[in-house]
Amino acid sequence: MQPLDVDEIRASFVNCSRGEAKSLTVPTDVPWATRDFLGWRDPKAPGRAYLVVAHRDELIGLSLRAAPPAKSRLRSNMCGFCGTTHTLADITLFSGRRAGKAGREGNTLGTYLCADLACDAYVRGERRPAVPQPHESLTVEQRLERMRGKVGLFVERVLETR
C-alpha cells in the first residue's frame, strides 16, 4: 500500500460524518510496504475500528463497529478476509453503515474478521494465530490476492447504494 498522510486517511471515509472522521485516532507507525489495506482499532474507543483501502483507483475509508468479544477460547472461527482461523476471542464481528442514503436509514453490513485487523500480517506469516491452521496449497501471493478480492467485495457491498 502507498504511504498515506493523516489528511488523506480522514478524507477517505464514506460511511461517517466529516466530524467523526476528523476525531478518529490515526495510527502513525504503519509498515506501509507490507500492508494491503490499513485496518486498526481505535485505542481511545475499542468498540470502533477503521478500514482504509485503495479500491478502483479511489481511496475508501470505512468506519466500523466491533461487537463485544466472545468469552470462549475453546471454539474457533475463520476470518472473512484472510481465512485465518482464530479462537472466538480473537475473531470479531465488525459492522459498518452502508454508504449514502441506505446508511443514513440505518442499514449496515457486517463480517467476522481478525480482531486486530492484521489480516495481511497473518497471510505473510508476520503474526501467528493461537490455533493451528489448516494446510493450504496456495502460495502467499495467491492467498494475498484472495484476501484482496474479499476486501474489495466487502467494500463494494458497503458502497452499493452510493
PDB file of all heavy atoms in Angstrom, residues 14-15 51 55-56 60 62 64 80-81 93-103 107-113 149-162:
ATOM      1  N   VAL A  14     -16.304   7.136   3.809  1.00  0.00           N
ATOM      2  CA  VAL A  14     -17.543   7.261   3.051  1.00  0.00           C
ATOM      3  C   VAL A  14     -18.792   6.941   3.873  1.00  0.00           C
ATOM      4  O   VAL A  14     -19.896   7.182   3.403  1.00  0.00           O
ATOM      5  CB  VAL A  14     -17.530   6.361   1.794  1.00  0.00           C
ATOM      6  CG1 VAL A  14     -16.425   6.771   0.843  1.00  0.00           C
ATOM      7  CG2 VAL A  14     -17.407   4.891   2.158  1.00  0.00           C
ATOM      8  N   ASN A  15     -18.637   6.396   5.060  1.00  0.00           N
ATOM      9  CA  ASN A  15     -19.819   5.988   5.826  1.00  0.00           C
ATOM     10  C   ASN A  15     -19.859   6.610   7.218  1.00  0.00           C
ATOM     11  O   ASN A  15     -20.427   6.044   8.142  1.00  0.00           O
ATOM     12  CB  ASN A  15     -19.921   4.465   5.902  1.00  0.00           C
ATOM     13  CG  ASN A  15     -18.817   3.834   6.722  1.00  0.00           C
ATOM     14  OD1 ASN A  15     -17.779   4.441   6.964  1.00  0.00           O
ATOM     15  ND2 ASN A  15     -19.039   2.610   7.153  1.00  0.00           N
ATOM     16  N   LEU A  51     -11.121   0.906   8.440  1.00  0.00           N
ATOM     17  CA  LEU A  51     -10.528   0.194   7.319  1.00  0.00           C
ATOM     18  C   LEU A  51     -10.351   1.190   6.179  1.00  0.00           C
ATOM     19  O   LEU A  51     -11.304   1.875   5.813  1.00  0.00           O
ATOM     20  CB  LEU A  51     -11.477  -0.931   6.904  1.00  0.00           C
ATOM     21  CG  LEU A  51     -11.057  -1.891   5.831  1.00  0.00           C
ATOM     22  CD1 LEU A  51      -9.926  -2.777   6.337  1.00  0.00           C
ATOM     23  CD2 LEU A  51     -12.244  -2.765   5.448  1.00  0.00           C
ATOM     24  N   HIS A  55      -9.385   1.231  -3.618  1.00  0.00           N
ATOM     25  CA  HIS A  55     -10.413   0.460  -4.305  1.00  0.00           C
ATOM     26  C   HIS A  55     -10.791   1.162  -5.600  1.00  0.00           C
ATOM     27  O   HIS A  55     -11.282   2.294  -5.574  1.00  0.00           O
ATOM     28  CB  HIS A  55     -11.633   0.310  -3.388  1.00  0.00           C
ATOM     29  CG  HIS A  55     -12.735  -0.496  -3.979  1.00  0.00           C
ATOM     30  ND1 HIS A  55     -12.655  -1.846  -4.126  1.00  0.00           N
ATOM     31  CD2 HIS A  55     -13.931  -0.125  -4.471  1.00  0.00           C
ATOM     32  CE1 HIS A  55     -13.770  -2.287  -4.672  1.00  0.00           C
ATOM     33  NE2 HIS A  55     -14.554  -1.255  -4.900  1.00  0.00           N
ATOM     34  N   ARG A  56     -10.540   0.492  -6.722  1.00  0.00           N
ATOM     35  CA  ARG A  56     -10.866   1.051  -8.047  1.00  0.00           C
ATOM     36  C   ARG A  56     -10.321   2.470  -8.226  1.00  0.00           C
ATOM     37  O   ARG A  56     -11.069   3.400  -8.524  1.00  0.00           O
ATOM     38  CB  ARG A  56     -12.363   1.023  -8.289  1.00  0.00           C
ATOM     39  CG  ARG A  56     -12.895  -0.382  -8.357  1.00  0.00           C
ATOM     40  CD  ARG A  56     -14.299  -0.396  -8.819  1.00  0.00           C
ATOM     41  NE  ARG A  56     -14.761  -1.778  -8.898  1.00  0.00           N
ATOM     42  CZ  ARG A  56     -15.885  -2.124  -9.413  1.00  0.00           C
ATOM     43  NH1 ARG A  56     -16.703  -1.229  -9.891  1.00  0.00           N
ATOM     44  NH2 ARG A  56     -16.238  -3.391  -9.452  1.00  0.00           N
ATOM     45  N   ILE A  60     -10.834   4.458  -0.188  1.00  0.00           N
ATOM     46  CA  ILE A  60     -12.106   4.315   0.517  1.00  0.00           C
ATOM     47  C   ILE A  60     -11.824   4.000   1.978  1.00  0.00           C
ATOM     48  O   ILE A  60     -11.114   3.044   2.295  1.00  0.00           O
ATOM     49  CB  ILE A  60     -12.961   3.175  -0.088  1.00  0.00           C
ATOM     50  CG1 ILE A  60     -13.241   3.418  -1.572  1.00  0.00           C
ATOM     51  CG2 ILE A  60     -14.249   2.981   0.711  1.00  0.00           C
ATOM     52  CD1 ILE A  60     -14.153   4.578  -1.864  1.00  0.00           C
ATOM     53  N   LEU A  62     -13.658   3.132   5.699  1.00  0.00           N
ATOM     54  CA  LEU A  62     -14.892   2.653   6.318  1.00  0.00           C
ATOM     55  C   LEU A  62     -14.767   2.712   7.830  1.00  0.00           C
ATOM     56  O   LEU A  62     -13.786   2.243   8.394  1.00  0.00           O
ATOM     57  CB  LEU A  62     -15.187   1.208   5.896  1.00  0.00           C
ATOM     58  CG  LEU A  62     -15.342   0.945   4.402  1.00  0.00           C
ATOM     59  CD1 LEU A  62     -15.536  -0.540   4.151  1.00  0.00           C
ATOM     60  CD2 LEU A  62     -16.494   1.752   3.833  1.00  0.00           C
ATOM     61  N   LEU A  64     -16.113   1.257  11.244  1.00  0.00           N
ATOM     62  CA  LEU A  64     -16.744   0.005  11.658  1.00  0.00           C
ATOM     63  C   LEU A  64     -16.983  -0.013  13.161  1.00  0.00           C
ATOM     64  O   LEU A  64     -16.299   0.675  13.912  1.00  0.00           O
ATOM     65  CB  LEU A  64     -15.853  -1.184  11.277  1.00  0.00           C
ATOM     66  CG  LEU A  64     -15.440  -1.296   9.808  1.00  0.00           C
ATOM     67  CD1 LEU A  64     -14.389  -2.380   9.643  1.00  0.00           C
ATOM     68  CD2 LEU A  64     -16.651  -1.571   8.939  1.00  0.00           C
ATOM     69  N   GLY A  80     -13.150 -13.600   7.631  1.00  0.00           N
ATOM     70  CA  GLY A  80     -13.785 -13.471   6.331  1.00  0.00           C
ATOM     71  C   GLY A  80     -12.889 -12.856   5.269  1.00  0.00           C
ATOM     72  O   GLY A  80     -13.189 -12.942   4.082  1.00  0.00           O
ATOM     73  N   PHE A  81     -11.789 -12.219   5.648  1.00  0.00           N
ATOM     74  CA  PHE A  81     -10.873 -11.632   4.674  1.00  0.00           C
ATOM     75  C   PHE A  81      -9.707 -12.568   4.350  1.00  0.00           C
ATOM     76  O   PHE A  81      -9.465 -12.896   3.209  1.00  0.00           O
ATOM     77  CB  PHE A  81     -10.296 -10.304   5.171  1.00  0.00           C
ATOM     78  CG  PHE A  81     -11.226  -9.128   5.099  1.00  0.00           C
ATOM     79  CD1 PHE A  81     -10.845  -7.905   5.634  1.00  0.00           C
ATOM     80  CD2 PHE A  81     -12.486  -9.199   4.527  1.00  0.00           C
ATOM     81  CE1 PHE A  81     -11.676  -6.802   5.589  1.00  0.00           C
ATOM     82  CE2 PHE A  81     -13.335  -8.104   4.471  1.00  0.00           C
ATOM     83  CZ  PHE A  81     -12.918  -6.888   5.004  1.00  0.00           C
ATOM     84  N   LEU A  93     -16.957  -9.644  15.155  1.00  0.00           N
ATOM     85  CA  LEU A  93     -17.925  -9.222  14.162  1.00  0.00           C
ATOM     86  C   LEU A  93     -17.797  -7.709  14.017  1.00  0.00           C
ATOM     87  O   LEU A  93     -18.038  -6.963  14.966  1.00  0.00           O
ATOM     88  CB  LEU A  93     -19.346  -9.587  14.586  1.00  0.00           C
ATOM     89  CG  LEU A  93     -20.463  -9.038  13.694  1.00  0.00           C
ATOM     90  CD1 LEU A  93     -20.362  -9.601  12.283  1.00  0.00           C
ATOM     91  CD2 LEU A  93     -21.819  -9.344  14.298  1.00  0.00           C
ATOM     92  N   PHE A  94     -17.391  -7.263  12.836  1.00  0.00           N
ATOM     93  CA  PHE A  94     -17.289  -5.843  12.537  1.00  0.00           C
ATOM     94  C   PHE A  94     -18.444  -5.481  11.623  1.00  0.00           C
ATOM     95  O   PHE A  94     -18.710  -6.179  10.646  1.00  0.00           O
ATOM     96  CB  PHE A  94     -15.969  -5.513  11.829  1.00  0.00           C
ATOM     97  CG  PHE A  94     -14.773  -5.604  12.719  1.00  0.00           C
ATOM     98  CD1 PHE A  94     -13.985  -6.736  12.728  1.00  0.00           C
ATOM     99  CD2 PHE A  94     -14.427  -4.552  13.551  1.00  0.00           C
ATOM    100  CE1 PHE A  94     -12.877  -6.830  13.542  1.00  0.00           C
ATOM    101  CE2 PHE A  94     -13.325  -4.630  14.382  1.00  0.00           C
ATOM    102  CZ  PHE A  94     -12.540  -5.775  14.373  1.00  0.00           C
ATOM    103  N   SER A  95     -19.125  -4.401  11.952  1.00  0.00           N
ATOM    104  CA  SER A  95     -20.228  -3.943  11.109  1.00  0.00           C
ATOM    105  C   SER A  95     -20.059  -2.455  10.844  1.00  0.00           C
ATOM    106  O   SER A  95     -19.524  -1.715  11.665  1.00  0.00           O
ATOM    107  CB  SER A  95     -21.579  -4.216  11.775  1.00  0.00           C
ATOM    108  OG  SER A  95     -21.651  -3.555  13.012  1.00  0.00           O
ATOM    109  N   GLY A  96     -20.496  -2.057   9.668  1.00  0.00           N
ATOM    110  CA  GLY A  96     -20.396  -0.655   9.298  1.00  0.00           C
ATOM    111  C   GLY A  96     -21.641  -0.207   8.568  1.00  0.00           C
ATOM    112  O   GLY A  96     -22.302  -1.007   7.904  1.00  0.00           O
ATOM    113  N   ARG A  97     -21.951   1.063   8.728  1.00  0.00           N
ATOM    114  CA  ARG A  97     -23.080   1.619   7.986  1.00  0.00           C
ATOM    115  C   ARG A  97     -22.774   1.578   6.505  1.00  0.00           C
ATOM    116  O   ARG A  97     -21.641   1.768   6.086  1.00  0.00           O
ATOM    117  CB  ARG A  97     -23.314   3.080   8.378  1.00  0.00           C
ATOM    118  CG  ARG A  97     -23.936   3.251   9.722  1.00  0.00           C
ATOM    119  CD  ARG A  97     -24.271   4.697   9.935  1.00  0.00           C
ATOM    120  NE  ARG A  97     -23.043   5.490   9.918  1.00  0.00           N
ATOM    121  CZ  ARG A  97     -22.872   6.614  10.588  1.00  0.00           C
ATOM    122  NH1 ARG A  97     -23.845   7.115  11.280  1.00  0.00           N
ATOM    123  NH2 ARG A  97     -21.741   7.255  10.521  1.00  0.00           N
ATOM    124  N   ARG A  98     -23.814   1.330   5.725  1.00  0.00           N
ATOM    125  CA  ARG A  98     -23.646   1.409   4.275  1.00  0.00           C
ATOM    126  C   ARG A  98     -23.487   2.874   3.904  1.00  0.00           C
ATOM    127  O   ARG A  98     -23.906   3.765   4.637  1.00  0.00           O
ATOM    128  CB  ARG A  98     -24.847   0.812   3.566  1.00  0.00           C
ATOM    129  CG  ARG A  98     -24.876  -0.695   3.702  1.00  0.00           C
ATOM    130  CD  ARG A  98     -26.011  -1.257   2.881  1.00  0.00           C
ATOM    131  NE  ARG A  98     -26.007  -2.693   2.948  1.00  0.00           N
ATOM    132  CZ  ARG A  98     -25.613  -3.479   1.959  1.00  0.00           C
ATOM    133  NH1 ARG A  98     -25.205  -2.975   0.843  1.00  0.00           N
ATOM    134  NH2 ARG A  98     -25.637  -4.780   2.104  1.00  0.00           N
ATOM    135  N   ALA A  99     -22.877   3.109   2.779  1.00  0.00           N
ATOM    136  CA  ALA A  99     -22.671   4.482   2.308  1.00  0.00           C
ATOM    137  C   ALA A  99     -23.990   5.052   1.793  1.00  0.00           C
ATOM    138  O   ALA A  99     -24.897   4.316   1.398  1.00  0.00           O
ATOM    139  CB  ALA A  99     -21.626   4.497   1.203  1.00  0.00           C
ATOM    140  N   GLY A 100     -24.104   6.350   1.811  1.00  0.00           N
ATOM    141  CA  GLY A 100     -25.249   7.045   1.222  1.00  0.00           C
ATOM    142  C   GLY A 100     -26.529   6.940   2.010  1.00  0.00           C
ATOM    143  O   GLY A 100     -26.535   6.796   3.224  1.00  0.00           O
ATOM    144  N   LYS A 101     -27.638   6.994   1.280  1.00  0.00           N
ATOM    145  CA  LYS A 101     -28.972   7.014   1.881  1.00  0.00           C
ATOM    146  C   LYS A 101     -29.245   5.776   2.721  1.00  0.00           C
ATOM    147  O   LYS A 101     -29.810   5.863   3.804  1.00  0.00           O
ATOM    148  CB  LYS A 101     -30.031   7.134   0.774  1.00  0.00           C
ATOM    149  CG  LYS A 101     -31.432   7.214   1.304  1.00  0.00           C
ATOM    150  CD  LYS A 101     -32.451   7.314   0.179  1.00  0.00           C
ATOM    151  CE  LYS A 101     -33.842   7.332   0.791  1.00  0.00           C
ATOM    152  NZ  LYS A 101     -34.862   7.041  -0.188  1.00  0.00           N
ATOM    153  N   ALA A 102     -28.815   4.606   2.236  1.00  0.00           N
ATOM    154  CA  ALA A 102     -29.056   3.366   2.980  1.00  0.00           C
ATOM    155  C   ALA A 102     -28.418   3.433   4.360  1.00  0.00           C
ATOM    156  O   ALA A 102     -29.016   3.005   5.357  1.00  0.00           O
ATOM    157  CB  ALA A 102     -28.523   2.166   2.204  1.00  0.00           C
ATOM    158  N   GLY A 103     -27.214   3.963   4.455  1.00  0.00           N
ATOM    159  CA  GLY A 103     -26.543   4.092   5.747  1.00  0.00           C
ATOM    160  C   GLY A 103     -27.248   5.079   6.662  1.00  0.00           C
ATOM    161  O   GLY A 103     -27.367   4.852   7.860  1.00  0.00           O
ATOM    162  N   ASN A 107     -29.063   1.066   7.626  1.00  0.00           N
ATOM    163  CA  ASN A 107     -28.634  -0.212   7.057  1.00  0.00           C
ATOM    164  C   ASN A 107     -27.141  -0.416   7.275  1.00  0.00           C
ATOM    165  O   ASN A 107     -26.343   0.487   7.019  1.00  0.00           O
ATOM    166  CB  ASN A 107     -28.942  -0.273   5.560  1.00  0.00           C
ATOM    167  CG  ASN A 107     -30.432  -0.294   5.304  1.00  0.00           C
ATOM    168  OD1 ASN A 107     -31.182  -0.957   5.997  1.00  0.00           O
ATOM    169  ND2 ASN A 107     -30.854   0.457   4.312  1.00  0.00           N
ATOM    170  N   THR A 108     -26.790  -1.603   7.728  1.00  0.00           N
ATOM    171  CA  THR A 108     -25.396  -1.927   7.990  1.00  0.00           C
ATOM    172  C   THR A 108     -25.013  -3.228   7.296  1.00  0.00           C
ATOM    173  O   THR A 108     -25.863  -3.977   6.825  1.00  0.00           O
ATOM    174  CB  THR A 108     -25.136  -2.085   9.503  1.00  0.00           C
ATOM    175  OG1 THR A 108     -25.933  -3.162   9.996  1.00  0.00           O
ATOM    176  CG2 THR A 108     -25.433  -0.808  10.260  1.00  0.00           C
ATOM    177  N   LEU A 109     -23.732  -3.475   7.265  1.00  0.00           N
ATOM    178  CA  LEU A 109     -23.180  -4.696   6.705  1.00  0.00           C
ATOM    179  C   LEU A 109     -22.090  -5.159   7.649  1.00  0.00           C
ATOM    180  O   LEU A 109     -21.301  -4.347   8.134  1.00  0.00           O
ATOM    181  CB  LEU A 109     -22.595  -4.406   5.317  1.00  0.00           C
ATOM    182  CG  LEU A 109     -22.023  -5.568   4.555  1.00  0.00           C
ATOM    183  CD1 LEU A 109     -23.144  -6.544   4.170  1.00  0.00           C
ATOM    184  CD2 LEU A 109     -21.311  -5.085   3.314  1.00  0.00           C
ATOM    185  N   GLY A 110     -22.023  -6.458   7.928  1.00  0.00           N
ATOM    186  CA  GLY A 110     -21.020  -6.953   8.852  1.00  0.00           C
ATOM    187  C   GLY A 110     -20.329  -8.202   8.359  1.00  0.00           C
ATOM    188  O   GLY A 110     -20.829  -8.899   7.473  1.00  0.00           O
ATOM    189  N   THR A 111     -19.171  -8.471   8.952  1.00  0.00           N
ATOM    190  CA  THR A 111     -18.417  -9.677   8.648  1.00  0.00           C
ATOM    191  C   THR A 111     -17.495  -9.991   9.822  1.00  0.00           C
ATOM    192  O   THR A 111     -17.117  -9.096  10.576  1.00  0.00           O
ATOM    193  CB  THR A 111     -17.614  -9.520   7.331  1.00  0.00           C
ATOM    194  OG1 THR A 111     -17.073 -10.776   6.969  1.00  0.00           O
ATOM    195  CG2 THR A 111     -16.506  -8.495   7.445  1.00  0.00           C
ATOM    196  N   TYR A 112     -17.158 -11.262   9.965  1.00  0.00           N
ATOM    197  CA  TYR A 112     -16.233 -11.682  11.015  1.00  0.00           C
ATOM    198  C   TYR A 112     -14.811 -11.551  10.498  1.00  0.00           C
ATOM    199  O   TYR A 112     -14.471 -12.080   9.441  1.00  0.00           O
ATOM    200  CB  TYR A 112     -16.502 -13.132  11.426  1.00  0.00           C
ATOM    201  CG  TYR A 112     -17.743 -13.278  12.258  1.00  0.00           C
ATOM    202  CD1 TYR A 112     -18.971 -13.557  11.675  1.00  0.00           C
ATOM    203  CD2 TYR A 112     -17.694 -13.099  13.639  1.00  0.00           C
ATOM    204  CE1 TYR A 112     -20.112 -13.678  12.445  1.00  0.00           C
ATOM    205  CE2 TYR A 112     -18.827 -13.215  14.414  1.00  0.00           C
ATOM    206  CZ  TYR A 112     -20.037 -13.499  13.812  1.00  0.00           C
ATOM    207  OH  TYR A 112     -21.165 -13.607  14.580  1.00  0.00           O
ATOM    208  N   LEU A 113     -13.963 -10.850  11.270  1.00  0.00           N
ATOM    209  CA  LEU A 113     -12.583 -10.587  10.863  1.00  0.00           C
ATOM    210  C   LEU A 113     -11.633 -10.817  12.033  1.00  0.00           C
ATOM    211  O   LEU A 113     -12.063 -10.894  13.190  1.00  0.00           O
ATOM    212  CB  LEU A 113     -12.436  -9.136  10.392  1.00  0.00           C
ATOM    213  CG  LEU A 113     -13.334  -8.678   9.254  1.00  0.00           C
ATOM    214  CD1 LEU A 113     -13.171  -7.193   9.018  1.00  0.00           C
ATOM    215  CD2 LEU A 113     -13.030  -9.470   7.996  1.00  0.00           C
ATOM    216  N   GLY A 149      -9.303  -9.674  -2.900  1.00  0.00           N
ATOM    217  CA  GLY A 149     -10.610  -9.837  -3.541  1.00  0.00           C
ATOM    218  C   GLY A 149     -11.742  -9.789  -2.545  1.00  0.00           C
ATOM    219  O   GLY A 149     -12.776  -9.156  -2.787  1.00  0.00           O
ATOM    220  N   LYS A 150     -11.570 -10.435  -1.393  1.00  0.00           N
ATOM    221  CA  LYS A 150     -12.616 -10.440  -0.371  1.00  0.00           C
ATOM    222  C   LYS A 150     -12.793  -9.057   0.252  1.00  0.00           C
ATOM    223  O   LYS A 150     -13.913  -8.636   0.531  1.00  0.00           O
ATOM    224  CB  LYS A 150     -12.308 -11.489   0.689  1.00  0.00           C
ATOM    225  CG  LYS A 150     -12.470 -12.904   0.164  1.00  0.00           C
ATOM    226  CD  LYS A 150     -12.184 -13.923   1.231  1.00  0.00           C
ATOM    227  CE  LYS A 150     -12.403 -15.325   0.691  1.00  0.00           C
ATOM    228  NZ  LYS A 150     -12.277 -16.339   1.729  1.00  0.00           N
ATOM    229  N   VAL A 151     -11.688  -8.351   0.465  1.00  0.00           N
ATOM    230  CA  VAL A 151     -11.774  -6.978   0.974  1.00  0.00           C
ATOM    231  C   VAL A 151     -12.514  -6.112  -0.049  1.00  0.00           C
ATOM    232  O   VAL A 151     -13.407  -5.333   0.309  1.00  0.00           O
ATOM    233  CB  VAL A 151     -10.373  -6.403   1.275  1.00  0.00           C
ATOM    234  CG1 VAL A 151     -10.457  -4.921   1.607  1.00  0.00           C
ATOM    235  CG2 VAL A 151      -9.702  -7.163   2.405  1.00  0.00           C
ATOM    236  N   GLY A 152     -12.171  -6.261  -1.316  1.00  0.00           N
ATOM    237  CA  GLY A 152     -12.838  -5.498  -2.370  1.00  0.00           C
ATOM    238  C   GLY A 152     -14.330  -5.772  -2.433  1.00  0.00           C
ATOM    239  O   GLY A 152     -15.128  -4.847  -2.621  1.00  0.00           O
ATOM    240  N   LEU A 153     -14.729  -7.030  -2.278  1.00  0.00           N
ATOM    241  CA  LEU A 153     -16.161  -7.375  -2.272  1.00  0.00           C
ATOM    242  C   LEU A 153     -16.882  -6.722  -1.100  1.00  0.00           C
ATOM    243  O   LEU A 153     -18.003  -6.226  -1.244  1.00  0.00           O
ATOM    244  CB  LEU A 153     -16.351  -8.889  -2.224  1.00  0.00           C
ATOM    245  CG  LEU A 153     -16.091  -9.631  -3.521  1.00  0.00           C
ATOM    246  CD1 LEU A 153     -16.137 -11.136  -3.292  1.00  0.00           C
ATOM    247  CD2 LEU A 153     -17.096  -9.228  -4.584  1.00  0.00           C
ATOM    248  N   PHE A 154     -16.253  -6.717   0.062  1.00  0.00           N
ATOM    249  CA  PHE A 154     -16.866  -6.080   1.228  1.00  0.00           C
ATOM    250  C   PHE A 154     -17.053  -4.584   0.968  1.00  0.00           C
ATOM    251  O   PHE A 154     -18.133  -4.036   1.215  1.00  0.00           O
ATOM    252  CB  PHE A 154     -16.015  -6.322   2.479  1.00  0.00           C
ATOM    253  CG  PHE A 154     -16.600  -5.729   3.728  1.00  0.00           C
ATOM    254  CD1 PHE A 154     -17.687  -6.324   4.348  1.00  0.00           C
ATOM    255  CD2 PHE A 154     -16.072  -4.576   4.285  1.00  0.00           C
ATOM    256  CE1 PHE A 154     -18.233  -5.779   5.498  1.00  0.00           C
ATOM    257  CE2 PHE A 154     -16.613  -4.029   5.431  1.00  0.00           C
ATOM    258  CZ  PHE A 154     -17.693  -4.627   6.045  1.00  0.00           C
ATOM    259  N   VAL A 155     -16.024  -3.941   0.438  1.00  0.00           N
ATOM    260  CA  VAL A 155     -16.119  -2.510   0.141  1.00  0.00           C
ATOM    261  C   VAL A 155     -17.224  -2.265  -0.895  1.00  0.00           C
ATOM    262  O   VAL A 155     -18.028  -1.345  -0.738  1.00  0.00           O
ATOM    263  CB  VAL A 155     -14.753  -1.960  -0.350  1.00  0.00           C
ATOM    264  CG1 VAL A 155     -14.882  -0.530  -0.870  1.00  0.00           C
ATOM    265  CG2 VAL A 155     -13.729  -2.020   0.778  1.00  0.00           C
ATOM    266  N   GLU A 156     -17.277  -3.091  -1.929  1.00  0.00           N
ATOM    267  CA  GLU A 156     -18.328  -2.959  -2.949  1.00  0.00           C
ATOM    268  C   GLU A 156     -19.717  -3.024  -2.320  1.00  0.00           C
ATOM    269  O   GLU A 156     -20.607  -2.259  -2.679  1.00  0.00           O
ATOM    270  CB  GLU A 156     -18.207  -4.066  -3.998  1.00  0.00           C
ATOM    271  CG  GLU A 156     -17.178  -3.829  -5.052  1.00  0.00           C
ATOM    272  CD  GLU A 156     -17.514  -2.668  -5.970  1.00  0.00           C
ATOM    273  OE1 GLU A 156     -18.678  -2.474  -6.314  1.00  0.00           O
ATOM    274  OE2 GLU A 156     -16.558  -1.952  -6.328  1.00  0.00           O
ATOM    275  N   ARG A 157     -19.901  -3.971  -1.418  1.00  0.00           N
ATOM    276  CA  ARG A 157     -21.216  -4.140  -0.798  1.00  0.00           C
ATOM    277  C   ARG A 157     -21.566  -2.931   0.074  1.00  0.00           C
ATOM    278  O   ARG A 157     -22.726  -2.535   0.142  1.00  0.00           O
ATOM    279  CB  ARG A 157     -21.258  -5.428   0.005  1.00  0.00           C
ATOM    280  CG  ARG A 157     -21.203  -6.646  -0.938  1.00  0.00           C
ATOM    281  CD  ARG A 157     -21.310  -7.956  -0.214  1.00  0.00           C
ATOM    282  NE  ARG A 157     -22.594  -8.043   0.472  1.00  0.00           N
ATOM    283  CZ  ARG A 157     -22.785  -8.796   1.563  1.00  0.00           C
ATOM    284  NH1 ARG A 157     -21.799  -9.507   2.058  1.00  0.00           N
ATOM    285  NH2 ARG A 157     -23.965  -8.828   2.123  1.00  0.00           N
ATOM    286  N   VAL A 158     -20.594  -2.341   0.740  1.00  0.00           N
ATOM    287  CA  VAL A 158     -20.853  -1.131   1.531  1.00  0.00           C
ATOM    288  C   VAL A 158     -21.220   0.032   0.614  1.00  0.00           C
ATOM    289  O   VAL A 158     -22.108   0.818   0.920  1.00  0.00           O
ATOM    290  CB  VAL A 158     -19.646  -0.769   2.416  1.00  0.00           C
ATOM    291  CG1 VAL A 158     -19.824   0.597   3.050  1.00  0.00           C
ATOM    292  CG2 VAL A 158     -19.442  -1.831   3.502  1.00  0.00           C
ATOM    293  N   LEU A 159     -20.568   0.104  -0.538  1.00  0.00           N
ATOM    294  CA  LEU A 159     -20.771   1.213  -1.470  1.00  0.00           C
ATOM    295  C   LEU A 159     -21.967   1.045  -2.391  1.00  0.00           C
ATOM    296  O   LEU A 159     -22.320   1.984  -3.114  1.00  0.00           O
ATOM    297  CB  LEU A 159     -19.527   1.402  -2.339  1.00  0.00           C
ATOM    298  CG  LEU A 159     -18.253   1.785  -1.631  1.00  0.00           C
ATOM    299  CD1 LEU A 159     -17.102   1.829  -2.623  1.00  0.00           C
ATOM    300  CD2 LEU A 159     -18.392   3.111  -0.920  1.00  0.00           C
ATOM    301  N   GLU A 160     -22.627  -0.105  -2.411  1.00  0.00           N
ATOM    302  CA  GLU A 160     -23.692  -0.396  -3.374  1.00  0.00           C
ATOM    303  C   GLU A 160     -24.715   0.706  -3.543  1.00  0.00           C
ATOM    304  O   GLU A 160     -25.185   0.940  -4.634  1.00  0.00           O
ATOM    305  CB  GLU A 160     -24.409  -1.702  -3.011  1.00  0.00           C
ATOM    306  CG  GLU A 160     -23.692  -2.919  -3.491  1.00  0.00           C
ATOM    307  CD  GLU A 160     -24.380  -4.192  -3.061  1.00  0.00           C
ATOM    308  OE1 GLU A 160     -25.374  -4.167  -2.296  1.00  0.00           O
ATOM    309  OE2 GLU A 160     -23.929  -5.255  -3.498  1.00  0.00           O
ATOM    310  N   THR A 161     -25.067   1.375  -2.512  1.00  0.00           N
ATOM    311  CA  THR A 161     -26.132   2.378  -2.602  1.00  0.00           C
ATOM    312  C   THR A 161     -25.588   3.783  -2.816  1.00  0.00           C
ATOM    313  O   THR A 161     -26.341   4.736  -2.846  1.00  0.00           O
ATOM    314  CB  THR A 161     -26.976   2.378  -1.318  1.00  0.00           C
ATOM    315  OG1 THR A 161     -26.115   2.659  -0.205  1.00  0.00           O
ATOM    316  CG2 THR A 161     -27.646   1.042  -1.132  1.00  0.00           C
ATOM    317  N   ARG A 162     -24.297   3.901  -2.943  1.00  0.00           N
ATOM    318  CA  ARG A 162     -23.685   5.232  -3.088  1.00  0.00           C
ATOM    319  C   ARG A 162     -23.941   5.798  -4.442  1.00  0.00           C
ATOM    320  O   ARG A 162     -24.018   5.161  -5.452  1.00  0.00           O
ATOM    321  CB  ARG A 162     -22.196   5.141  -2.802  1.00  0.00           C
ATOM    322  CG  ARG A 162     -21.557   6.493  -2.634  1.00  0.00           C
ATOM    323  CD  ARG A 162     -20.171   6.360  -2.154  1.00  0.00           C
ATOM    324  NE  ARG A 162     -19.313   6.176  -3.321  1.00  0.00           N
ATOM    325  CZ  ARG A 162     -18.056   6.562  -3.339  1.00  0.00           C
ATOM    326  NH1 ARG A 162     -17.510   7.072  -2.300  1.00  0.00           N
ATOM    327  NH2 ARG A 162     -17.320   6.382  -4.410  1.00  0.00           N
TER     328      ARG A 162
END
